[in-house]
Amino acid sequence: MSQELAVQPRIPISAEREQIELPASSRVPAKILLSVPVAIILALIVHWFSAKNEPENETRLYNLFLGEMFGASLLIAYLQRFSAGLREWMKETCPIIGVAILFLAILEIITAGLRWMPLLPMPYFPSPAGVLQSMINDRELLFDSTWHSLALLLGGYTLGVTIGLITGICIGWFPLARYWGMPVLKVVGPIPATAWIPLAMIVSPSAMFSAIGLIALAVWFPVTMLTASGISNTRASYLDVARTLGASRSYLIFRVAIPAAMPNIFLGLFMGLGASFLTLIVAETIGVKSGLGWYVTWAQGWAEYGKVYAALVIMAAFFSSIMSVLFKVRDHVLVWQKGVIKW
Amino acid sequence: MVALNSAQSAAEGSTLRVDGVSKAFRGADGVSTRTFALDNVSLSVAAGELISIVGPSGCGKSTLLRLIAGLDSPNSGELRVGSEVITAPNAERGLVFQDPNLFPWLTVRRNIEIGLVARGLLREKRHEVDEFMRLVGLEAFANAFPHHLSGGMAQRVALARALINHPKLLLLDEPLGALDAFTRMRMQDEVLRLWRARQTTMVLVTHDIDEAIYMSDRIVIMSPRPGRIERVIVVELDRPRHRNSPEFLNLRGEILELLHFAGAATA
Ligand SMILES: Nc1ncnc2c1ncn2[C@@H]1O[C@H](COP(=O)(O)OP(=O)(O)OP(=O)(O)O)[C@@H](O)[C@H]1O
Ligand SMILES: [Mg+2]
């Protein structure tokens, strides 16, 4: 009797588990599987109709691009049979990719298809095919610009984060540093870094240096602010626990206060990254003679709007990749938060 | 003769003395109101003794333990271990807090290791970590993060974390409060075993009168507002004690009466 009672609940539990596991191992719904190829076909049809009056090389390139995408989507649709990870990824991203391609098609209708309407004056709004063409034509300079932007960004960001962490920890931990540091932080910090450009141009030996300095300044403020508040809000009971276990002061700072402040510190790092993008582009537009920010102004000067949009597309990819690297680092450092807060 | 003397002085050396200690906290509205958490409390705990502190909520038990640990300082009076005045925390005086206060960014194993890492002893004493994880029955959770633990499990980790330092004086603030009756009794026996094996001095705060009688040499009964020591009862039962013996139950009734619980129950 008691055995029966012990066995009985097992049946629903195991059934439930199967139900929970089922979606993870099951097939990708046809709707999702076909969303990308169908979107590409639609985009191709739109392209054939709307691109009759466009330059032929642009059309060829865009066809090639969509064709390659089509091939890749079919290949992935085939490969997903063998990998559960790929299936999960497809379910997650296929709808988004499909909609993005449809968005391209709509852009094409607006820019190339409706050219006869005075809605969008010609040089300012090239079609997606034209942007793609500009991107390929100018790939060397674009690559070079991206490379310069990356160097500048990493230099400034690293510098700003390093100094910001040091000042933040000092202000958060030492009362004396807090007393003198906080007013400076409150007065100087909120000034947008770009407002210092006139001063930076006078003081610094090269535009490169002043750009790095400005980016560092832009990063420094949020990192310092959030690190300091994270450190000073460390739960007193954590410090008490460590002290009764024989912790020295350096243990309290480096192994209690800093880990406890990590969620806050990452907030500062993300805010600093956003500020650094802005400052990078402004600094490149004004002083530095290289980088994506400079490229955009330069292309605009020649009225080559295809290149302007090409640079914007690359900028978007560039910044979001850097952002996702920081997300990856955060996920790694703050694994312990998983399940505690929603990311 | 000489040997006996030195042994005696060694025991003497680690007697805990709380001498006329008062501690007041500022009220929530500023300077005007003050809560007297402790008022002229005096107590002496011999080396190797296990005493319990019982009393209603808010009578200053946790405050007293914090003072003994050296985390706070008294407004007046003095606390000493042997001849040494307590001014700061020390790994010799372990404290198991009322809340487990595990570090959420460390796994169970790393939480237990804190004391060893802090004192730079991890390398030579790493084997003890496994020992203590087994003691509190959490080997399977070595790599889990604290928020995956139940309240009782977290309390057990906190206990292991304090024990790993082998403190001479161990202060326990309701360390077994969140455990089920069975685990609780098992942990009581484990604590008693460690107490006997290491001759640790222990001060145990508890709300469980049975636990106090079962474990301790003496029971300190406190009363609130201001926090004072009401009575000290010597438990003269032989060990191991039996929770159902008539002497045990008699003592239990006596303490309940002192705590006015008996009166409250009939009213
Ligand atoms: N940091 C503090 N600031 C202000 N008042 C405090 C502080 N700590 C304790 N008190 C007050 O001191 C009194 C005693 O508190 P304490 O925590 O020592 O009680 P306790 O006996 O441990 O109670 P419990 O059994 O509920 O844990 C309470 O009235 C409390 O309000
Ligand atoms: Mg308490």
Side-chain angles (χ1 to χ4, degrees), chain A residues 50-67:
Chain A
S50 65
K52 282 180 203 128
N53 317 325
E54 302 291 313
E56 193 179 331
N57 56 346
E58 273 182 23
T59 306
R60 184 152 25 86
L61 204 65
Y62 195 61
N63 280 333
L64 200 66
F65 167 72
L66 286 178

Side-chain angles (χ1 to χ4, degrees), chain A residues 240, chain B residues 18 21-26 35-41 43 53 56-76 79 86 95-98 171-174 203 205 222-228:
Chain A
D240 286 345
Chain B
V18 179
V21 160
S22 299
K23 177 77 183 173
F25 289 105
R26 212 183 282 167
T35 327
F36 280 88
L38 292 173
D39 183 38
N40 197 19
V41 168
L43 178 70
I53 302 179
S57 184
C59 69
K61 306 181 292 290
S62 298
T63 307
L64 181 59
L65 289 199
R66 285 181 63 87
L67 290 174
I68 298 173
L71 290 169
D72 288 329
S73 47
N75 295 106
S76 62
L79 297 106
I86 297 174
L95 172 54
V96 179
F97 289 73
Q98 198 163 0
L171 309 162
L172 302 151
D173 201 344
E174 291 180 51
V203 179
V205 168
M222 291 184 67
S223 64
R225 277 172 286 278
R228 286 206 176 108

Side-chain angles (χ1 to χ4, degrees), chain A residues 256-339:
Chain A
V256 185
I258 293 179
M262 247 340 151
N264 252 353
I265 291 176
F266 267 98
L267 267 181
L269 293 181
F270 278 110
M271 289 171 61
L273 194 58
S276 74
F277 293 158
L278 178 73
T279 315
L280 172 77
I281 295 306
V282 175
E284 282 178 345
T285 309
I286 293 178
V288 188
K289 291 280 172 280
S290 61
L292 288 169
W294 163 82
Y295 183 92
V296 169
T297 348
W298 174 80
Q300 190 200 7
W302 293 102
E304 301 216 45
Y305 283 90
K307 289 185 180 177
V308 170
Y309 294 112
L312 289 181
V313 168
I314 287 180
M315 225 181 257
F318 173 58
F319 288 161
S320 62
S321 326
I322 289 179
M323 209 52 143
S324 57
V325 168
L326 190 57
F327 269 109
K328 279 271 174 325
V329 174
R330 195 269 320 252
D331 292 355
H332 180 75
V333 174
L334 297 182
V335 250
W336 57 271
Q337 276 198 322
K338 222 168 196 171

Side-chain angles (χ1 to χ4, degrees), chain A residues 78-162:
Chain A
Y78 174 71
L79 287 178
Q80 54 88 21
R81 292 154 158 253
F82 310 109
S83 152
L86 198 58
R87 277 198 291 276
E88 281 309 294
W89 180 82
M90 282 191 77
K91 280 186 218 165
E92 189 80 21
T93 47
C94 274
I96 300 173
I97 296 177
V99 168
I101 290 169
L102 286 183
F103 177 71
L104 274 186
I106 293 171
L107 266 187
E108 176 142 47
I109 294 175
I110 297 175
T111 52
L114 304 179
R115 182 121 304 152
W116 45 270
M117 295 213 306
L119 202 63
L120 298 170
M122 174 55 192
Y124 305 124
F125 298 99
S127 70
V131 174
L132 185 69
Q133 183 65 42
S134 308
M135 200 183 288
I136 303 289
N137 285 352
D138 221 13
R139 59 184 175 276
E140 266 168 41
L141 188 52
L142 273 170
F143 183 80
D144 202 50
S145 299
T146 311
W147 183 246
H148 273 99
S149 287
L150 182 67
L152 212 56
L153 186 73
L154 284 189
Y157 189 70
T158 320
L159 185 67
V161 165
T162 312

Side-chain angles (χ1 to χ4, degrees), chain B residues 96-118:
Chain B
V96 179
F97 289 73
Q98 198 163 0
D99 299 324
N101 279 317
L102 303 180
F103 292 175
W105 57 89
L106 296 180
T107 59
V108 165
R109 187 188 182 84
R110 299 249 175 260
N111 262 290
I112 294 176
E113 285 173 353
I114 291 172
L116 299 180
V117 174

